[in-house]
Amino acid sequence: MREFDEPGAWGRYNATQRDRPPRPLALTLLAHAGEGAGRLALDLGSGAGVESALLLDHGWRVLAVDGDPAAADLLRERLPPEQAERLTTRTTAFADLDALPAVDLVHAAWSLPYAGVHLERLWELLLSALVPGGWLACHLFGTRATADAADVARLSAADVDRFVDRLDVVHREEQEVDGTASGRPVHWHVHSVVGRRRPD
């Protein structure tokens, strides 16, 4: 059994992440998308809620979606009442996500690869929910990424091109680095993307 296939693995991981700073992808996204002014953002795979809290700090309303039953409580614990009023949480596995409201921003850091065989369908759902002119930021795993779950989606560079062809891409970076996850060696091969939804 691989690390994130073990019962409770995501909850244990998320608990270790609550005090980290926001990830660079979210900061790059906000540098382009700007202040929320009440617009709706989707944080897909919200985890410990660090990036959801960042979006709320910048005036966005947030729909935070995560499969970990403890994620919503982790997020709400860190928020003042004014921000909590602008937060909606949904606990569901990506495989079961079948409807989304119209959103102006999608943040999906380190989450989409874990949709596995459901990635294509989930990507279409995200783009359908994202309004024209809305912003999307995500990580996608490349073909040389090692797996810490049984069902992880890996994409070729051509696949990534196809995925982002309806976006005006303002940031795209491919990185490969050896590292560890919970003490186990892993090879990260990651495409980072920030783009704006073009009209159909």
Side-chain angles (χ1 to χ4, degrees), residues 106-192:
V106 173
H107 173 260
W110 301 103
S111 57
L112 288 176
Y114 297 96
V117 297
H118 302 281
L119 177 58
E120 292 263 3
R121 181 188 62 78
L122 181 58
W123 184 261
E124 290 302 316
L125 179 64
L126 294 178
L127 287 187
S128 296
L130 188 63
V131 302
W135 290 91
L136 181 147
C138 68
H139 292 119
L140 299 165
F141 283 0
T143 54
R144 292 180 293 280
T146 55
D148 46 10
D151 183 16
V152 173
R154 301 176 184 85
L155 302 177
S156 68
D159 288 331
V160 176
D161 289 341
R162 176 172 57 84
F163 267 51
V164 304
D165 67 359
R166 283 176 277 172
L167 303 174
D168 288 323
V169 175
V170 298
H171 172 83
R172 181 169 171 180
E173 183 179 15
E174 182 178 359
Q175 291 184 301
E176 290 198 57
V177 63
D178 291 317
T180 59
S182 299
R184 305 177 189 183
V186 294
H187 181 75
W188 299 113
H189 179 201
V190 181
H191 298 268
S192 303

